[in-house]
Amino acid sequence: MKKIICLFFVVIFFNSCSVIDSENTNGNEATEVPPVRSYVTYISQNSVTLNGVIDNTNNYYQGPGTYKVGFVFRTGSINDSSNDQFILVDQNVAYEPYKKYFNTTINSLQPNTTYYYTCFAENGSFKTDNWKEFTTSEIPCSQSQNNYVSISGVWRNVYPEINDPSCCDEGNFGIKFGTWPNIYEINFNELNNGYPKTGQYFGVDYYFDITEYNKEVVKSSNQVLIGNSSTTETDLFVVNDGITLTLIFCNMTLRDGSVLNGKVSVALP
């Protein structure tokens, strides 16, 4: 009888251990990793900044332990992993309830070429990623005369000046030129209230999206706002040499159907 009772408690003990081990492997140990989001900034003809953000604020596991974060960069095809470039950014990220932003810069790229990438968070066999793609800037057209713009085929001299957008969803830096009724306010939304860098920029509708996650993601992401005139089909080129900021228009189409050509420049403050 004593042997049967002892065997009974042994069975219960091992079953309890089995349940505990099962719970540990399902998230109570430092094995799972938070979700990630990938995005790019400062896309030029030859370089890009890859960005990742991890959000551990709502992760139920907040105990000890660390995980690693980084990027995978891929050329050629989204389905071809044979030439992947792995970039480890931090191998000791703590399980703490916050958002973490990280980035790396890739150089020596080709103009007007599509590349693929993801940021990742990894701990052992647990890994999260978020594959995206981007295309480097085209080479702009040649516009010989500065501060000379064609509006639907009519050329005129213009006198651009720096325009300070009001706030927030209108960006942080702008250039204004033209006379009524053709006045153009071209605004950018840059990190750290900086200036747009060299690259091709694409229009947004009516305002920059600064809601929630996008509040940081859209900054310096090659977007441009031209009041109520720009659309997602609008594009222009920026050349920033550190002294002068030049905007180049190559058959840039606006919402009302007008087409801009030419270029304008302002001295950076």
Side-chain angles (χ1 to χ4, degrees), residues 1-234:
M1 184 68 177
K2 291 180 179 180
K3 291 182 179 180
I4 294 175
I5 293 174
C6 288
L7 180 61
F8 176 77
F9 282 110
V10 167
V11 171
I12 292 176
F13 174 80
F14 279 107
N15 283 342
S16 299
C17 291
S18 177
V19 171
I20 293 172
D21 287 342
S22 175
E23 290 176 350
N24 283 340
T25 57
N26 283 323
N28 291 334
E29 289 183 341
T31 52
E32 294 193 357
V33 287
V36 297
R37 296 284 295 271
S38 305
Y39 62 101
V40 290
T41 52
Y42 298 124
I43 306 171
S44 71
Q45 296 173 20
N46 308 115
S47 67
V48 67
T49 298
L50 307 182
N51 298 270
V53 57
I54 52 178
D55 187 357
N56 206 42
T57 54
N58 294 317
N59 186 16
Y60 61 84
Y61 177 80
Q62 304 291 352
T66 61
Y67 55 96
K68 56 186 178 182
V69 298
F71 297 93
V72 182
F73 182 71
R74 184 172 294 177
T75 60
S77 169
I78 185 62
N79 299 314
D80 182 8
S81 61
S82 62
N83 54 3
D84 281 358
Q85 178 181 350
F86 292 89
I87 304 160
L88 181 62
V89 175
D90 190 342
Q91 61 182 357
N92 292 300
V93 181
Y95 283 89
E96 296 179 355
Y98 57 65
K99 290 182 180 179
K100 177 180 176 66
Y101 294 85
F102 55 101
N103 62 72
T104 190
T105 299
I106 304 290
N107 296 306
S108 302
L109 304 179
Q110 296 299 314
N112 196 26
T113 302
T114 300
Y115 297 93
Y116 310 91
Y117 72 101
T118 185
C119 63
F120 67 83
E122 182 177 2
N123 188 351
S125 61
F126 292 87
K127 184 176 182 179
T128 54
D129 55 25
N130 180 222
W131 280 95
K132 296 288 184 68
E133 67 178 58
F134 71 93
T135 301
T136 48
S137 299
E138 297 180 9
I139 298 174
C141 60
S142 177
Q143 303 285 11
S144 57
Q145 188 171 341
N146 196 26
N147 295 331
Y148 194 52
V149 174
S150 165
I151 304 174
S152 297
V154 179
W155 289 88
R156 65 193 68 187
N157 292 304
V158 293
Y159 305 93
E161 58 186 20
I162 291 178
N163 172 58
D164 291 324
S166 300
C167 176
C168 311
D169 60 3
E170 294 183 3
N172 69 285
F173 175 81
I175 294 177
K176 181 179 180 179
F177 64 88
T179 57
W180 190 88
N182 298 307
I183 298 176
Y184 300 99
E185 297 181 7
I186 302 178
N187 297 342
F188 301 89
N189 188 23
E190 299 301 296
L191 286 167
N192 302 316
N193 290 322
Y195 306 114
K197 295 186 178 181
T198 298
Q200 186 176 9
Y201 282 70
F202 298 90
V204 297
D205 290 319
Y206 302 109
Y207 53 83
F208 292 110
D209 183 0
I210 61 169
T211 57
E212 299 178 359
Y213 169 78
N214 289 313
K215 185 175 183 178
E216 294 298 326
V217 170
V218 300
K219 291 182 179 179
S220 303
S221 57
N222 290 59
Q223 294 185 356
V224 63
L225 170 68
I226 311 176
N228 295 329
S229 298
S230 57
T231 73
T232 54
E233 303 301 317
T234 300

